[in-house]
Amino acid sequence: MKMLKAALGLLLPVWLVVSCATPAYVEKDETADFSRYKTYAWIIDNKDKKGKNRHQEFMQKYVQEAVAAKLQKEGWKEDRNKPDVLISYDLLVEKATREQADPVYSRPFRRIYYNPFYRRYGVIYYPPMFMGYDNSIYEVRQGTLTITMVDAKTDKTIWQGWTTDEVNSRNVTKKEIRSSVNSIFRKFDVARK
């Protein structure tokens, strides 16, 4: 019984963390043989190198570090000379609207009455009652991270994963990027087959 309680005590926090993660979506080429892929290299777009968006350098570094950590756990290594797979990412932050419906309840009240039979005063308590919903719409920023893997020899997309989550500003933080990459690579089961 103590073992069961200890196991539940350890599994409950893990379950809560996994259930609170953002949903991720994956598409993969069923004909691709992932057992032969062991090296990768990054495809980097250097069109905007004039310092226009300096924060993108940090975001690029954070994405590459997070993806590299996940791929190293799967046994992959970075090879810039002759990679098996080319990896690119796209990070899009855009404004969106979110609708929120908050329940509305009446105020509780009580009524005092006189009972002539007992010659006493009494109190009747009326609890709050559900009255409906108060709908509000507000703007949020949503960040979508997409990671794409392309076969270096055939130039064919073999795997793509993406997730969308609310972000605090245009500059996505390291923690938000790491959380998104973790959500995407939770579904990277191609190397385990």
Side-chain angles (χ1 to χ4, degrees), residues 38-189:
K38 294 297 175 195
T39 59
Y40 68 94
W42 285 94
I43 301 172
I44 307 216
D45 186 15
N46 289 330
K47 291 179 186 174
D48 189 25
K49 210 54 169 166
K50 303 220 176 186
K52 187 177 178 185
N53 291 324
R54 286 275 183 206
H55 66 276
Q56 287 184 353
E57 292 177 20
F58 287 116
M59 286 191 287
Q60 177 181 338
K61 177 185 168 191
Y62 298 153
V63 169
Q64 288 180 356
E65 286 175 353
V67 170
K70 291 296 180 182
L71 289 176
Q72 284 175 358
K73 284 184 180 178
E74 298 293 335
W76 292 36
K77 294 182 182 176
E78 186 171 4
D79 182 9
R80 295 181 184 172
N81 298 327
K82 288 191 174 184
D84 299 328
V85 174
L86 300 172
I87 300 176
S88 65
Y89 78 94
D90 184 32
L91 185 59
L92 174 68
V93 177
E94 59 188 355
K95 290 181 182 177
T97 57
R98 169 160 285 192
E99 186 174 330
Q100 183 173 345
D102 296 320
V104 177
Y105 294 93
S106 67
R107 295 185 68 166
F109 65 95
R110 29 183 206 173
R111 193 179 107 209
I112 300 174
Y113 68 94
Y114 178 73
N115 187 340
F117 184 71
Y118 291 111
R119 296 184 188 167
R120 294 185 182 167
Y121 287 95
V123 177
I124 298 177
Y125 177 75
Y126 294 96
M129 295 184 64
F130 178 70
M131 310 258 317
Y133 289 98
D134 181 20
N135 295 325
S136 59
I137 296 175
Y138 59 96
E139 273 192 7
V140 295
R141 289 188 185 269
Q142 286 186 334
T144 302
L145 177 65
T146 305
I147 299 171
T148 306
M149 294 184 179
V150 176
D151 189 316
K153 292 178 184 173
T154 62
D155 201 32
K156 184 178 171 185
T157 302
I158 56 172
W159 188 85
Q160 188 173 44
W162 67 94
T163 185
T164 301
D165 196 11
E166 284 186 24
V167 294
N168 292 330
S169 67
R170 275 187 26 213
N171 301 338
V172 182
T173 64
K174 185 176 185 176
K175 183 178 179 183
E176 291 168 337
I177 288 174
R178 190 176 293 144
S179 172
S180 295
V181 169
N182 288 343
S183 295
I184 292 170
F185 275 89
R186 236 180 243 115
K187 296 194 174 192
F188 188 69
D189 59 350

